[in-house]
Amino acid sequence: MSDEPVAEEPELGTLVSLFDDDHVRSILVATSDEPLSAAELAERCDVSVSAIYRRTNRLVDADLLRERTRPRSDGHHETVYVTALERFELSVRDGDLHWSVERTETDVADELTRLWGKF
C-alpha cells in the first residue's frame, strides 16, 4: 500500500469549462512545446499576466499543467509551466458517456538533462 495520495480526476464539467476557454487552450498548446513563465505566456497568448495566473492555477489544480522551476543566469529562479495533458477523449456509446484524460509522464532524469542543457 502506498503512502502517496491518489489524485482524484477533475469532474467532466470542470474539464469542459476549462477547454471552453480560448486562453486555456492557448496555454496548453504553448506549454506543450516548451516550458514558459507567466510573463512569456502573457506575451504569447496576448492576455494580462494576472489572467494567465488565474488560468494556470485552475489548470494546475486539474493536473493538466505542471509547475517547474527554471534557474536563471542571475542566480534566481522562476516558475515555468509545462502541459501535463497528452489526450482528452469524450465518447458516447451504449447509452453512456465515457471520458478519459491521459497525462504525460514525467521523468526526473529527462528533466535534469533538459535543464542542464540550457546552461
Side-chain angles (χ1 to χ4, degrees):
M1 197 165 177
S2 173
D3 292 336
E4 292 185 34
V6 176
E8 284 187 34
E9 282 292 334
E11 292 186 15
L12 180 58
T14 300
L15 294 172
V16 170
S17 172
L18 283 166
F19 295 141
D20 189 40
D21 185 321
D22 290 336
H23 297 303
V24 163
R25 292 191 308 269
S26 295
I27 289 167
L28 289 171
V29 169
T31 58
S32 71
D33 187 39
E34 63 181 315
L36 296 169
S37 68
E40 292 165 331
L41 282 167
E43 186 176 317
R44 285 211 187 164
C45 299
D46 195 29
V47 67
S48 70
V49 173
S50 61
I52 291 293
Y53 278 121
R54 281 193 301 274
R55 286 166 174 90
T56 57
N57 287 338
R58 289 177 60 208
L59 286 165
V60 168
D61 287 346
D63 196 25
L64 300 177
L65 196 66
R66 294 193 178 108
E67 295 177 315
R68 299 283 184 257
T69 300
R70 178 169 60 191
R72 296 187 326 210
S73 60
D74 64 3
H76 293 90
H77 64 276
E78 63 186 339
T79 299
V80 293
Y81 300 93
V82 180
T83 298
L85 176 68
E86 189 166 307
R87 179 184 177 138
F88 172 73
E89 184 176 305
L90 177 68
S91 62
V92 179
R93 66 176 173 258
D94 301 327
D96 209 0
L97 184 69
H98 302 273
W99 58 279
S100 65
V101 177
E102 291 178 26
R103 292 175 176 82
T104 57
E105 295 294 321
T106 57
D107 181 42
V108 174
D110 287 344
E111 282 295 310
L112 289 173
T113 301
R114 185 188 57 75
L115 285 171
W116 187 254
K118 293 195 179 258
F119 287 111

